[in-house]
């Protein structure tokens, strides 16, 4: 790398060897390559291990480390973070495809903004389609303080807006867990991902929770120039009804843990 900030790419995966292969291939073809790649796998087969081994043999100038652990997304990420010694940890889901200058654009924010004030930097998922402000869907989600695409700020309900399709480099609160880089020391300061969600799985609010805690003490950024595509692979993904049940089960815990309890926030929460 041609920057003095060291960077680890951390990829968590489960039963998606093809997606993992594509993800790693995007990483090793970066215009600025990472110092190392950590893969934390929770698959039932050895296919992902074989995928990683092939890259390990081919990429002699990047240390690629493979670990196998229990299937819990937050636990996998925490495990990988603890194994990193870099200044910056870039979290990638296995179904993310990053463009060639993604890491270069992420590092540019860390270099050009006051480093000690930064918590994390996220990129631009160019596959996302922003909901038009005049649409009924947007209006309803705004009235009821629900999740939506937007400027990355948190609503009174504690739910977030995801920054996508915005121009330039902007401040944000929410950082998508699928393609965001954090200062490693910040993660240890505010605490790692909360893995007390659903047993044997993950909480849909693990990245919301982490973003909120980081944004209370540091400044987070979004950059349009770090372009990626989140494929949202259906393999090894919970069915939508199960996912919705997970949201209902974990939202109260997240809200009571982080959000200031007052008349306005409780009103927004109950909507």
């Amino acid at each position: 790398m041609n920057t003095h900030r060291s960077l680890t790419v951390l990829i968590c995966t489960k039963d998606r060897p093809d997606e993992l292969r594509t993800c790693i291939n995007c990483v090793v073809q970066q215009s600025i390559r990472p110092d190392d790649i950590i893969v934390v796998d929770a698959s039932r087969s050895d296919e992902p291990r074989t995928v990683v081994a092939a890259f390990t043999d081919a990429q002699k100038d990047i240390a690629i480390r493979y670990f196998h652990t229990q299937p819990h997304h937050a636990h996998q990420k925490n495990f990988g973070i603890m194994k990193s010694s870099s200044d910056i940890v870039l979290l990638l889901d296995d179904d993310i495809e990053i463009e060639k200058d993604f890491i270069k654009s992420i590092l540019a924010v860390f270099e050009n903004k006051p480093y000690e004030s930064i918590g994390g930097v996220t990129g631009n998922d160019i596959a996302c389609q922003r909901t038009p402000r005049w649409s009924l869907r947007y209006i309803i989600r705004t009235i009821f303080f629900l999740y939506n695409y937007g400027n990355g700020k948190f609503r009174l309900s504690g739910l977030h807006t995801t920054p996508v399709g915005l121009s330039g480099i902007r401040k944000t609160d929410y950082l998508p867990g699928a393609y965001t880089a954090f200062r490693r020391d910040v993660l240890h300061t505010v605490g790692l991902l909360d893995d007390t969600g659903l047993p044997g799985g993950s909480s849909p609010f693990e990245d919301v929770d982490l973003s909120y805690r980081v944004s209370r003490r540091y400044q987070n950024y979004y950059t349009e120039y770090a372009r990626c595509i989140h494929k949202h692979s259906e393999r090894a993904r919970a069915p939508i009804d199960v996912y919705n049940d997970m949201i209902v089960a974990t939202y109260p815990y997240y809200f009571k843990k982080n959000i200031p309890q007052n008349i306005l926030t409780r009103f927004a929460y109950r909507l």
Side-chain angles (χ1 to χ4, degrees), residues 174-226:
Y174 174 66
L175 300 168
Y179 49 93
T180 289
F182 292 92
R183 280 174 44 203
R184 186 174 60 88
D185 60 330
V186 165
L187 294 176
H188 287 288
T189 298
V190 305
L192 302 183
L193 286 90
D194 190 339
D195 60 1
T196 59
L198 302 179
S202 299
S203 164
F205 291 98
E206 61 190 29
D207 58 347
V208 184
D209 169 70
L210 179 60
S211 297
Y212 188 88
R213 289 186 283 119
V214 172
S215 69
R216 300 309 95 174
R217 300 179 64 173
Y218 301 91
Q219 182 59 65
N220 297 330
Y221 288 92
Y222 154 93
T223 172
E224 73 159 317
Y225 309 110

Side-chain angles (χ1 to χ4, degrees), residues 98-189:
I98 58 176
E99 292 192 355
K100 188 174 182 179
D101 288 333
F102 186 92
I103 290 179
K104 177 181 179 180
S105 299
I106 290 288
L107 286 174
V109 179
F110 281 104
E111 294 298 323
N112 295 325
K113 301 293 184 180
Y115 182 75
E116 296 301 324
S117 70
I118 300 176
V121 181
T122 195
N124 181 19
D125 181 0
I126 60 175
C128 284
Q129 298 294 321
R130 291 174 61 87
T131 307
R133 288 180 176 271
W134 46 260
S135 69
L136 181 61
R137 176 186 175 89
Y138 184 91
I139 294 171
I140 290 175
R141 286 183 171 273
T142 300
I143 291 174
F144 290 97
F145 302 98
L146 300 175
Y147 154 82
N148 206 348
Y149 296 122
N151 59 5
K153 301 302 181 182
F154 285 99
R155 300 184 186 275
L156 284 173
S157 61
L159 298 178
H160 62 289
T161 59
T162 300
V164 293
L166 304 174
S167 60
I169 298 172
R170 303 185 179 208
K171 294 179 179 179
T172 181
D173 288 334
Y174 174 66
L175 300 168
Y179 49 93
T180 289
F182 292 92
R183 280 174 44 203
R184 186 174 60 88
D185 60 330
V186 165
L187 294 176
H188 287 288
T189 298

Side-chain angles (χ1 to χ4, degrees), residues 29 31 34 44 77 99 148 151 163 175 183 188 212 245 247 251 253-254 260 269:
Q29 293 187 37
S31 56
R44 292 167 292 184
K77 288 183 177 180
E99 292 192 355
N148 206 348
N151 59 5
L175 300 168
R183 280 174 44 203
H188 287 288
Y212 188 88
D245 287 343
I247 291 177
Y251 176 37
Y253 168 75
Y254 157 72
Y269 168 76

